[in-house]
Amino acid sequence: MNYSIRKQEPCADYGKVTLEGNLNIEDKVTFYKNLNNTFSDITNISNGKIIIIKNPDFDFYIYDENRFVMSKLTSIELGNEILNKLFI
Amino acid sequence: MDSKKVIYLDNAATTWPKLKEVKKIVNDYFETCCTSPGRTNGNDITTEIRQKLLDYFDANSDYSVALVPSATIGMNIVIKSIISENKSNHIITTNCEHHCVYRPLIGYDTSYDIVDYLNNKQEEQPNKIFEKINKNTKAVIMNHGSNVTGDIFNVKKIGENLRGKNIIFVVDISQTAGFEDISIKNLNADILIGSAHKHLYGLSGIGYIIYRKSIKLKPIYYGGTGKLSSSIKQPEVLPDMLESGTANIVGLLSLKKSLEVMNQKKRKQIREYENNLVNYFINNCKEIKGVKTFSGKEGKRTGVISVCIKNLDPTYVVAPYLSSQGNVLVRAGLHCAPLIHKAINTFPEGTVRLSVSHNTTKEELDIVIKLLKELCEE
């Protein structure tokens, strides 16, 4: 499993940062296991069409199990840290 | 983009599809010889379009027209002109405006007041503006129609009150031109600013300023005007001095055709049709727990509706879901109008904005309603 970031920009409406990128999830079982072990507030819409993870330091959205947006991030480093934990 | 049929509900940003008559005149342009307006000898269509705009908005010979690349550029020209003689000149506007007003006000370091307008009873709204008038007030700038809620504001009363006060009344008609029957005389406006590509169904890249000739507008960009070329100084002739550079000929042709097609009868048909669609959508949304809609009152609104779903982000959840599941194109977020979102308590996430046109069908709205229901059931 891995990820790539294709855009990072200031979060226009929140004074924070947004990361956008693609995901390569080879093993869905492990991916969902990691997700459930890492986060408590997870909403899954239409069987993985959109996964929403809410956290005080960021909002994390995964689309079609192949791309993501992390918004309201307090720092890019935090975003990388979470992505590394989940996907590497 | 999925190859299945697109449901286009972002007509407040730009209408689509355009009029078939617009498509034809643009296609014809590529097949026939055409001139550079104001440069090549021959028929100059800019004169014809200026007159059409004056007629369309019921402006008499006290008014003239400047053709500019967009309504935003038109607003920049007007604001810069108002403050150019005295930096302390004061401008009043409302919390229902677009960034095309706020950002020039701040960018040009203007003295201004932003009035909390929307959250007042309709009869009290104009007074909120009048209360802010001081001896330096030179202009009141406001929207005719909101690009977030679709409210059409009663600007006529404001214009009436400002008459004789030496305060310029500027009305942004971007959302209402081609939809409402607009008379600059009835609105008591000194300046109207709009664009071709929204409810006039023309192309983007063309805006217009219809202004009282007694107002001395000034350019914000300089260059060739096609006239008075002996001097290297910008000619001080209106409207030419505001229109430097080769005109957008294709855009101008589209505007010309739009003004011919979007006549009073057509506007009435479209208003009635869109009003029915808005009613249909709002009434169906009332049945969905968790959905909140924002729109103007019947008879005082355009085809714009803002939608919120409790606990679901409009930009990152609702709009992507509509797009991926139904090929529905909307605009989510703050719509370049953050202050009206504060007024309706949807800041900072904003809303999903759906804006219908005469091409929208009830069947298309049914798909949106179904998808919203699905999201609310999750």
Side-chain angles (χ1 to χ4, degrees):
Chain A
M1 292 205 286
N2 55 55
Y3 70 90
S4 60
I5 291 174
R6 68 186 146 76
K7 198 159 118 186
Q8 73 184 47
E9 61 184 11
C11 215
D13 307 329
Y14 308 100
K16 296 181 182 173
V17 284
T18 296
L19 289 182
E20 284 184 40
N22 298 319
L23 302 172
N24 179 19
I25 301 170
E26 287 156 355
D27 178 357
K28 285 190 188 177
V29 175
T30 307
F31 163 70
Y32 280 106
K33 198 175 153 195
N34 282 352
L35 216 58
N36 286 316
N37 286 341
T38 313
F39 303 109
S40 54
D41 187 358
I42 302 173
T43 308
N44 187 326
I45 293 176
S46 291
N47 295 321
K49 282 287 167 199
I50 304 178
I51 296 166
I52 307 167
I53 297 148
K54 291 276 184 182
N55 189 289
D57 295 325
F58 57 86
D59 289 347
F60 188 12
Y61 304 95
I62 299 170
Y63 304 97
D64 299 316
E65 297 171 345
N66 62 24
R67 60 192 178 88
F68 71 92
V69 172
M70 295 183 91
S71 74
K72 303 188 203 175
L73 270 168
T74 48
S75 71
I76 290 168
E77 291 72 25
L78 175 63
N80 283 321
E81 193 185 309
I82 295 155
L83 290 164
N84 286 340
K85 197 170 165 185
L86 284 171
F87 298 105
I88 291 182
Chain B
M1 176 76 61
D2 205 319
S3 61
K4 69 183 173 182
K5 188 179 175 277
V6 162
I7 298 177
Y8 185 78
L9 293 173
D10 199 15
N11 293 283
T14 191
T15 43
W16 185 84
K18 301 299 182 188
L19 298 170
K20 63 179 188 307
E21 294 88 347
V22 165
K23 192 177 168 191
K24 183 177 184 312
I25 201 169
V26 171
N27 282 338
D28 288 350
Y29 164 78
F30 293 103
E31 302 297 330
T32 58
C33 175
C34 209
T35 62
S36 175
R39 273 69 164 174
T40 319
N41 64 338
N43 184 25
D44 179 8
I45 67 158
T46 52
T47 307
E48 189 186 348
I49 291 170
R50 287 189 223 284
Q51 190 55 51
K52 277 188 188 294
L53 280 163
L54 290 173
D55 294 341
Y56 198 84
F57 296 111
D58 191 25
N60 61 22
S61 59
D62 292 340
Y63 293 88
S64 187
V65 178
L67 297 162
V68 290
S70 67
T72 294
I73 289 177
M75 192 61 79
N76 272 264
I77 289 171
V78 168
I79 291 174
K80 190 81 195 292
S81 300
I82 289 166
I83 61 155
S84 67
E85 281 167 19
N86 190 339
K87 214 54 178 143
S88 66
N89 281 353
H90 173 247
I91 294 173
I92 300 170
T93 190
T94 81
N95 63 344
C96 305
E97 310 306 316
H98 189 273
H99 274 321
C100 78
V101 177
Y102 301 135
R103 289 183 172 172
L105 285 176
I106 293 166
Y108 294 136
D109 198 17
T110 313
S111 161
Y112 65 88
D113 269 304
I114 298 172
V115 171
D116 183 5
Y117 196 77
L118 193 72
N119 288 339
N120 294 287
K121 285 182 187 162
Q122 208 175 7
E123 59 274 18
E124 291 168 8
Q125 287 174 337
N127 287 333
K128 296 291 162 189
I129 288 176
F130 306 145
E131 284 165 9
K132 291 288 179 188
I133 293 175
N134 66 42
K135 64 180 170 45
N136 291 323
T137 303
K138 291 291 175 233
V140 170
I141 302 176
M142 71 175 294
N143 237 330
H144 192 208
S146 165
N147 69 321
V148 175
T149 62
D151 279 277
I152 295 177
F153 302 112
N154 183 10
V155 296
K156 184 179 176 180
K157 211 171 174 185
I158 297 163
E160 268 170 13
N161 189 285
L162 295 177
R163 205 165 20 180
K165 286 193 168 74
N166 200 26
I167 295 172
I168 299 167
F169 186 37
V170 184
V171 182
D172 175 357
I173 56 168
S174 296
Q175 289 294 328
T176 51
F179 183 85
E180 280 284 284
D181 297 335
I182 297 174
S183 159
I184 197 166
K185 270 190 290 185
N186 288 344
L187 295 183
N188 293 295
D190 299 296
I191 296 178
L192 298 180
I193 299 173
S195 64
H197 71 108
K198 296 185 191 277
H199 251 82
L200 281 166
Y201 293 88
L203 300 186
S204 56
I206 282 290
Y208 44 84
I209 312 169
I210 300 168
Y211 61 95
R212 204 181 279 282
K213 285 177 185 169
S214 56
I215 299 167
K216 301 297 172 209
L217 296 177
K218 298 194 170 154
I220 56 169
Y221 50 93
Y222 300 84
T225 60
K227 291 176 190 166
L228 297 166
S229 297
S230 58
S231 172
I232 61 168
K233 195 172 162 244
Q234 186 83 354
E236 293 191 4
V237 178
L238 285 170
D240 308 51
M241 67 193 288
L242 307 176
E243 299 175 342
S244 293
T246 301
N248 172 1
I249 178 67
V250 182
L252 285 172
L253 287 168
S254 78
L255 176 58
K256 174 178 174 281
K257 188 49 74 179
S258 298
L259 293 169
E260 288 165 7
V261 175
M262 295 300 291
N263 56 29
Q264 195 174 18
K265 189 178 163 198
K266 184 102 176 166
R267 291 195 299 269
K268 186 169 183 285
Q269 281 172 355
I270 287 176
R271 279 200 303 273
E272 287 172 1
Y273 183 75
E274 290 190 14
N275 182 52
N276 283 336
L277 287 177
V278 172
N279 276 337
Y280 181 76
F281 184 79
I282 291 172
N283 287 335
N284 273 282
C285 282
K286 281 178 188 163
E287 311 293 319
I288 312 172
K289 201 178 169 196
V291 170
K292 191 173 182 184
T293 58
F294 302 87
S295 67
K297 287 187 183 136
E298 194 162 0
K300 291 182 183 295
R301 69 181 179 210
T302 61
V304 172
I305 313 153
S306 262
V307 179
C308 271
I309 298 186
K310 198 178 175 187
N311 298 328
L312 293 184
D313 189 282
T315 304
Y316 296 119
V317 179
V318 184
Y321 191 74
L322 294 177
S323 170
S324 68
Q325 301 304 293
N327 244 14
V328 181
L329 301 185
V330 294
R331 172 134 182 227
L334 296 173
H335 316 100
C336 294
L339 302 187
I340 193 166
H341 280 285
K342 285 185 177 175
I344 63 173
N345 292 320
T346 53
F347 187 90
E349 285 83 4
T351 55
V352 166
R353 182 185 70 188
L354 287 79
S355 41
V356 300
S357 79
H358 70 277
N359 296 303
T360 309
T361 63
K362 279 189 179 173
E363 289 71 29
E364 289 178 327
L365 294 183
D366 283 339
I367 291 171
V368 178
I369 291 160
K370 176 181 157 283
L371 293 171
L372 293 178
K373 272 183 192 162
E374 284 175 14
L375 277 171
C376 288
E377 283 162 5
E378 292 290 342

